[in-house]
Amino acid sequence: MISYLDNVLFAAALILSISLFIYNFKKILSNIRLGRDENRSDNPRLRLNNMLRVAFGQSKMIRRPIAGILHLIVYVGFIIINIELLEIIIDGIFGSHRIFSSFFPKFYNFIIGSFEVLALLVLISVIIFWIRRNILKIKRFFKEEMKGWPKLDADLILYFEIILMTLFLTMNGADYTIQLNYPENDIYVRAGSYPISQFLVPILQELSLAKLILLERFSWWFHILGIFIFLNYLYYSKHLHILLAFPNTYFANLESKGKFKNIDSVTSEIKLMLDDNNNIEGTDVSEVETFGANDVTELTWIQLLNAYSCTECGRCTSNCPANISGKKLSPRKIMMDTRDRLTELSNKIRSNSENFKGDGKKLLGDYISTEEVWACTSCNACVESCPIDIDPLSIIMSMRQYLVLENSAAPSDLNNMMNNIENNGAPWPFNQQDRTNWIN
Amino acid sequence: MKVQIFSDCVKEGKNPEILFWVGCSGSFDERAKKITKAFVKILNDAKIDFAVLGNEESCSGDLAKRSGNEFLFQMQALGNIKVMNSYNIKKIVTACPHCFNTIKNEYPELGGKYEVLHHTEFLKSLIENGKLKIPNGSFKGKRITYHDPCYLGRANNIYEIPREILKKLDAELVEMKSCKSKGLCCGAGGAQMFKEPEKGDVDIKDIRIKQALETKPDIIAAACPFCNTMLSDGLKNKVSENSTSILDISQIIEKAKDL
Ligand code: SF4
Ligand code: SF4
């Protein structure tokens, strides 16, 4: 018999894990709001479409077919197997056992059967993922920025999945063994089909009924507790992308990748300068904000959402010409640094509340070096290759703007080039009057 | 070479249909000037009514913008827009993907709204409406590989148009390992052309030229003056492969038509 203690413990674990998750998720949302405004409310239909295609349909993952298909299996498996979660939660609260089986027995058999097949496929895929990371040592997983926590994080997720799937199949196997061998018991009644875990029956039937029940309960509990832990692990992990990939693709840039945003305040300032009458409509010069970005708070909320969504897959970096040619710049590192700095800064703001006056650190300089910022060719390869429409290039450009407009700190060659443009209208020291010399 | 200047035309009461935006490299760089001239020859051959801004043209501002100097970019843009709007310009064609991208995408919000075409788009339309005929045969059997400029390809999703033009040549079009949306940059963009590269193992252009040469091409086709310069520099470092030449699409047509 399942005592009430179980139900209470279960309800407590459920409430605890969900509240903790909400608490942390709210933190993420408020951290993203530390960024500057950017309007991405246009074109809801197109945005929805983009989200369905890129995040839900994983359209950009197929470009690397092997990783793409394996990821698709894990992703579909994750979504479908989580339907089972509903039953587990109801059973947990009410002390029932496989509550859905009595309502629609036929469909139940089908669905449990497909969960099992998927669980096996997920298990295999995750093991292949582990082999790719730890035995084949695929290059993009071993760049400088992947040392330490990011590497451990990636492996932990795989171990998590392996444990969860194993527990799920063990739970079913034990259940099925009891169903077959102890038909007279009134809890483990005949329900479900077990195309995969049936192969565990020959091993498991050596165990006594008490041990089988213990094994089934153990697996059931650790499976669901594992999921609760996983839910709260997301906050610390690149695995946050399973949630944020959706808003991230919804709010993605839908315009040509070559179009870089114009800074409106610069336009107003120039117009004011050029216009003697100073009668520019709707400009408020009193509100001068920093040009470009020196720290995360000067990035837009889109750029911060990007940082939280990054899966650290390194597709951007492995296509980046600067990185391929051995330079320090890695667009993945740009995203990881942005997230790390945002976490650090927001924690400090929270613990110091109102009187926080900065910690003397900045994203630019303490995390991202100017050497990285100047190595970019603005080729958009990173943006194109990101499976969830992250834009590392825009962060690089915001930092260049800060360096040039606030600090006049461009490399000297570029300063010469810009002086030429200012004086002659061309990047070389040629006279504008000679612009038609080619005709003759 | 017959080239009208917009200000002269206006004085004579003419209003040319198309502005050919030459761009800084098209005006001053030795290699790029050849591209400019080839394109003008094609335009004249097709009897297109066009003019250039001449001394009234100034840098589009792309370089300043990608260097982070938004102020200089907008000064350049607003200056150019003022000139172009004063001539009531409707349609612009340019052989530089950087100018193309900036004028097409970044000028409108600053008050410069025009129909902007890259010269490959314009050439394709000339072929389609019969104004430009490419004789068969002169490139027959030649292996051509096309390098996608970042600011034409990924930045503006133009991948097929240049290839369609090349296919008209009866040549054998071969693709590099990284092409189209996966195309590898030549290393010039983002103002890199004007500075020393950061410390690294190799030059980007050398990786790209290696990819190009792996296709064993007779011709490496480019569609951007900066790519053209970068790849030519890269090719120079490979003395043994000097039978390969790097040509802009307009230069290829110039050769095919023997203009
Ligand atoms: S845009 Fe910059 S960071 Fe992105 S791939 Fe190109 S060079 Fe690398
Ligand atoms: S930015 Fe995109 S491509 Fe790069 S590591 Fe993050 S998720 Fe992967």
Side-chain angles (χ1 to χ4, degrees):
Chain A
M1 282 302 287
I2 297 164
S3 71
Y4 282 118
L5 184 66
D6 278 357
N7 309 19
V8 173
L9 280 179
F10 181 85
L14 179 71
I15 291 167
L16 183 72
S17 86
I18 291 183
S19 335
L20 192 61
F21 173 74
I22 292 175
Y23 173 74
N24 280 330
F25 201 73
K26 275 190 173 158
K27 271 209 252 178
I28 291 175
L29 292 182
S30 82
N31 290 355
I32 290 174
R33 280 199 211 101
L34 287 175
R36 285 180 175 165
D37 262 357
E38 168 146 18
N39 188 354
R40 290 275 168 95
S41 60
D42 57 318
N43 273 317
R45 186 170 298 194
L46 245 139
R47 295 191 172 283
L48 193 66
N49 212 309
N50 193 59
M51 182 182 87
L52 290 178
R53 215 163 20 88
V54 179
F56 196 71
Q58 312 226 323
S59 59
K60 285 175 100 179
M61 286 296 288
I62 332 282
R63 294 197 183 172
R64 298 203 186 215
I66 300 177
I69 288 170
L70 293 173
H71 184 269
L72 190 70
I73 294 173
V74 176
Y75 162 73
V76 172
F78 180 83
I79 291 185
I80 309 259
I81 297 173
N82 274 340
I83 299 175
E84 167 79 351
L85 217 58
L86 194 64
E87 182 179 50
I88 294 180
I89 289 174
I90 297 176
D91 282 351
I93 296 172
F94 298 103
S96 49
H97 184 73
R98 294 190 181 272
I99 181 117
F100 293 160
S101 62
S102 45
F103 298 137
F104 352 79
K106 276 235 176 68
F107 183 64
Y108 191 79
N109 287 354
F110 167 76
I111 201 144
I112 294 289
S114 25
F115 291 161
E116 287 223 328
V117 175
L118 272 171
L120 181 70
L121 287 175
V122 170
L123 202 55
I124 295 170
S125 305
V126 171
I127 290 170
I128 300 176
F129 274 149
W130 186 88
I131 293 173
R132 281 161 57 90
R133 271 182 194 269
N134 292 290
I135 295 178
L136 302 178
K137 296 199 189 280
I138 290 191
K139 229 169 91 196
R140 70 182 148 106
F141 301 136
F142 286 88
K143 297 272 175 181
E144 205 46 44
E145 67 268 20
M146 293 309 285
K147 295 204 171 120
W149 168 246
K151 164 91 173 74
L152 181 65
D153 180 23
D155 284 336
L156 278 180
I157 292 160
L158 299 179
Y159 298 138
F160 244 119
E161 292 268 4
I162 293 174
I163 293 171
L164 286 181
M165 291 305 118
T166 310
L167 287 170
F168 178 71
L169 290 173
T170 312
M171 169 183 98
N172 280 356
D175 196 324
Y176 189 45
T177 310
I178 306 175
Q179 291 179 23
L180 291 179
N181 293 354
Y182 304 92
E184 66 285 1
N185 92 85
D186 50 0
I187 293 170
Y188 298 92
V189 291
R190 205 45 210 94
S193 71
Y194 303 90
I196 307 299
S197 61
Q198 63 172 328
F199 295 107
L200 296 175
V201 175
I203 313 166
L204 294 177
Q205 64 190 1
E206 304 294 322
L207 300 176
S208 65
L209 176 61
K211 280 191 178 146
L212 279 171
I213 293 178
L214 193 69
L215 182 63
E216 194 276 337
R217 285 290 88 196
F218 173 88
S219 308
W220 187 94
W221 271 100
F222 280 88
H223 175 248
I224 188 67
L225 288 178
I227 288 172
F228 290 162
I229 293 169
F230 186 74
L231 183 69
N232 284 290
Y233 175 73
L234 293 184
Y235 175 70
Y236 306 94
S237 164
K238 65 163 188 150
H239 234 57
L240 202 50
H241 78 269
I242 62 174
L243 302 172
L244 295 188
F246 293 90
N248 196 70
T249 47
Y250 181 87
F251 292 113
N253 176 29
L254 299 178
E255 300 196 73
S256 302
K257 290 190 190 66
K259 176 177 176 176
F260 293 13
K261 237 179 39 181
N262 295 336
I263 304 180
D264 296 335
S265 52
V266 169
T267 319
S268 333
E269 228 170 280
I270 296 178
K271 286 199 171 154
L272 214 61
M273 228 170 61
L274 297 178
D275 187 51
D276 305 327
N277 307 326
N278 279 3
N279 54 358
I280 306 295
E281 289 164 40
T283 45
D284 181 7
V285 247
S286 60
E287 201 186 306
V288 198
E289 58 171 23
T290 321
F291 294 125
N294 188 22
D295 208 349
V296 282
T297 45
E298 287 145 1
L299 292 170
T300 69
W301 70 275
I302 297 283
Q303 291 170 318
L304 300 183
L305 172 63
N306 276 187
Y308 269 126
S309 310
C310 175
T311 74
E312 298 172 15
C313 69
R315 282 169 172 75
C316 51
T317 295
S318 69
N319 286 309
C320 169
N323 194 274
I324 296 173
S325 60
K327 302 186 175 69
K328 237 181 108 188
L329 171 62
S330 159
R332 167 172 57 191
K333 178 176 174 289
I334 301 285
M335 302 320 298
M336 294 168 69
D337 285 345
T338 304
R339 177 171 174 177
D340 289 348
R341 172 62 184 154
L342 181 55
T343 310
E344 179 191 56
L345 185 69
S346 60
N347 284 341
K348 286 184 181 164
I349 293 176
R350 259 185 213 101
S351 50
N352 286 296
S353 64
E354 265 127 62
N355 42 32
F356 182 72
K357 297 232 167 36
D359 58 352
K361 283 169 87 178
K362 298 285 177 207
L363 176 61
L364 180 58
D366 291 303
Y367 285 79
I368 299 171
S369 64
T370 52
E371 181 183 340
E372 292 161 69
V373 170
W374 289 115
C376 173
T377 73
S378 73
C379 73
N380 260 309
C382 50
V383 186
E384 180 78 35
S385 53
C386 178
I388 51 172
D389 288 349
I390 287 171
D391 187 350
L393 171 55
S394 77
I395 297 183
I396 295 172
M397 281 300 146
S398 301
M399 296 193 154
R400 283 191 181 182
Q401 285 168 344
Y402 179 84
L403 286 171
V404 172
L405 298 175
E406 297 287 343
N407 278 4
S408 310
S412 61
D413 291 343
L414 290 189
N415 275 333
N416 290 339
M417 179 269 286
M418 291 189 280
N419 281 337
N420 286 328
I421 295 181
E422 224 174 308
N423 299 325
N424 320 315
W428 299 284
F430 294 121
N431 199 315
Q432 189 159 6
Q433 297 312 312
D434 295 336
R435 245 186 138 88
T436 47
N437 286 3
W438 61 269
I439 299 177
N440 310 305
Chain B
M1 182 173 289
K2 190 186 135 226
V3 183
Q4 310 184 89
I5 313 282
F6 240 102
S7 54
D8 298 341
C9 298
V10 172
K11 271 185 219 136
E12 292 161 22
K14 287 190 291 188
N15 194 7
E17 190 191 330
I18 285 164
L19 167 66
F20 169 34
W21 179 276
V22 185
C24 297
S25 50
S27 306
F28 294 119
D29 180 84
E30 285 311 319
R31 279 186 162 274
K33 280 199 268 186
K34 293 186 190 146
I35 303 171
T36 308
K37 288 182 190 169
F39 185 56
V40 165
K41 284 186 199 165
I42 300 169
L43 291 177
N44 282 336
D45 183 65
K47 302 200 170 41
I48 302 299
D49 177 27
F50 76 98
V52 299
L53 286 178
N55 300 339
E56 286 186 290
E57 184 185 283
S58 188
C59 177
S60 70
D62 159 80
L63 286 163
K65 187 162 182 98
R66 314 302 136 177
S67 303
N69 196 339
E70 181 75 10
F71 214 86
L72 180 56
F73 158 68
Q74 292 202 13
M75 290 291 280
Q76 289 301 116
L78 291 167
N80 284 322
I81 290 169
K82 199 167 168 199
V83 173
M84 293 195 284
N85 286 358
S86 76
Y87 294 133
N88 203 7
I89 280 160
K90 297 270 176 312
K91 192 167 176 177
I92 303 174
V93 180
T94 177
C96 174
H98 295 267
C99 297
F100 163 72
N101 175 69
T102 296
I103 301 175
K104 180 183 165 127
N105 295 319
E106 291 159 356
Y107 276 26
E109 282 163 20
L110 298 171
K113 300 192 174 78
Y114 322 98
E115 182 190 354
V116 188
L117 298 176
H118 184 247
H119 74 326
T120 53
E121 293 179 288
F122 190 66
L123 289 169
K124 188 184 167 234
S125 73
L126 290 185
I127 294 172
E128 275 168 1
N129 63 24
K131 288 191 181 158
L132 171 63
K133 291 200 175 59
I134 302 178
N136 282 341
S138 53
F139 280 85
K140 201 176 172 97
K142 290 252 173 17
R143 285 170 74 87
I144 303 184
T145 189
Y146 171 70
H147 166 79
D148 289 277
C150 303
Y151 276 84
L152 202 57
R154 280 185 293 270
N156 288 290
N157 286 316
I158 298 175
Y159 300 110
E160 292 308 325
I161 291 173
R163 290 180 167 79
E164 282 167 30
I165 299 175
L166 291 171
K167 279 181 196 148
K168 299 260 185 264
L169 293 165
D170 240 0
E172 191 187 342
L173 194 58
V174 281
E175 294 292 354
M176 290 182 237
K177 197 174 110 202
S178 325
C179 63
K180 299 184 186 171
S181 67
K182 293 182 187 155
L184 183 68
C185 175
C186 70
Q192 295 298 337
M193 175 94 172
F194 293 87
K195 60 182 262 298
E196 286 302 313
E198 276 63 28
K199 204 167 83 15
D201 308 330
V202 266
D203 273 357
I204 297 171
K205 60 175 187 292
D206 293 332
I207 306 178
R208 187 52 167 170
I209 206 73
K210 192 163 163 258
Q211 286 188 351
L213 292 178
E214 275 164 12
T215 68
K216 306 225 173 325
D218 297 306
I219 293 158
I220 299 169
C224 167
F226 291 106
C227 298
N228 201 310
T229 302
M230 278 309 217
L231 296 177
S232 302
D233 284 354
L235 191 64
K236 251 189 262 159
N237 303 341
K238 307 236 165 196
V239 257
S240 57
E241 269 102 349
N242 52 9
S243 64
T244 306
S245 50
I246 297 172
L247 294 171
D248 187 84
I249 293 199
S250 60
Q251 291 174 291
I252 295 177
I253 297 180
E254 178 194 24
K255 276 200 181 347
K257 289 181 67 82
D258 205 10
L259 290 173

